[in-house]
Amino acid sequence: MQPLMTLLAELSTIDAHLDELQEDLGDLPKEVKDCERTVKTRTALAEETQQLLSELLAFRANAHIMLQEIKDKEAQYTEQQFQVRNNREFDAITKEIESLREERNRIIEEQRTSAVKEDNIRQILTQQQQDLADAQELLSDKEKELDELSSGHNNEMKSLMSRRVELSKTIDALPLADYERIRTFHLEAAVPLRKNCCSGCFSAVPAQKIVEIRNNPNKLFLCEHCGRILFPEDMKQV
Ligand SMILES: [Zn+2]
């Protein structure tokens, strides 16, 4: 049976290692989520721009037909104006003709500016598609990283956890409870002495206590300053 200090030291090493593994994964899952959100947003943006472009091209393709239709209607109204029976009818037709002319001017103006508009939209679209591709690349990198890390970590974590369970069974309930309690304050609950100091908080440990720690490997000694469990510097750690 190994002395208590050795067991606690190993437990502390295992916990530190588990913490580290957890920390490694730490931001990655969140980063993957963030990347997914970015890809989604950028996809929507590019789609919106693509839609604008399609509408613009459709307008350009149809503009001459719309203009011809307006011209035909205008001719029709002009003819009708000669056959009116009163002022009211004349005014009504005049209004129709005016609104047709407005519509025609609007279409002509839009036609005139559509080439510049198309250039702008295409430029924006190219940039948005590039941004999207960048985001997709980053996402797939992060996903890959997370996958690799998790699968490697899973095996390591499993073996550390099972060793921890084994170890917990060999440590008496009281010191184990002390250890767990200290771990709620300090991630490293058991630390070695270093140059006669607690290596957790770096405060000096009295020489008499160091001698006691060396001579009583089955007793629990706490740092008077930070409350961590102390074990000798040269003790063999697993
Ligand atoms: Zn300390």
Side-chain angles (χ1 to χ4, degrees), residues 121-226:
I121 293 176
R122 282 193 192 278
Q123 264 180 34
I124 291 169
L125 186 60
T126 304
Q127 184 59 53
Q128 285 175 339
Q129 282 167 338
Q130 183 57 53
D131 290 346
L132 175 59
D134 290 347
Q136 278 165 334
E137 200 186 324
L138 189 64
L139 173 61
S140 89
D141 285 352
K142 291 275 174 202
E143 276 174 341
K144 207 172 142 215
E145 204 182 327
L146 181 60
D147 268 5
E148 281 167 5
L149 214 54
S150 319
S151 61
H153 275 33
N154 284 343
N155 293 332
E156 211 174 344
M157 272 185 177
K158 254 186 222 158
S159 82
L160 284 170
M161 294 294 275
S162 76
R163 176 70 189 132
R164 196 185 194 284
V165 170
E166 239 173 78
L167 208 53
S168 302
K169 284 180 197 156
T170 59
I171 301 175
D172 287 340
L174 269 177
L176 185 63
D178 277 336
Y179 173 87
E180 298 291 6
R181 179 181 55 78
I182 295 164
R183 229 181 101 71
T184 59
F185 303 105
H186 304 292
L187 284 178
E188 272 188 292
V191 294
L193 291 163
R194 273 202 221 298
K195 293 185 175 137
N196 300 336
C197 290
C198 159
S199 63
C201 71
F202 307 108
S203 60
V205 178
Q208 176 56 36
K209 188 161 180 169
I210 294 176
V211 174
E212 276 181 53
I213 293 173
R214 285 185 185 289
N215 292 336
N216 297 285
N218 276 307
K219 241 181 109 182
L220 213 63
F221 291 94
L222 305 185
C223 167
E224 284 165 25
H225 202 78
C226 67

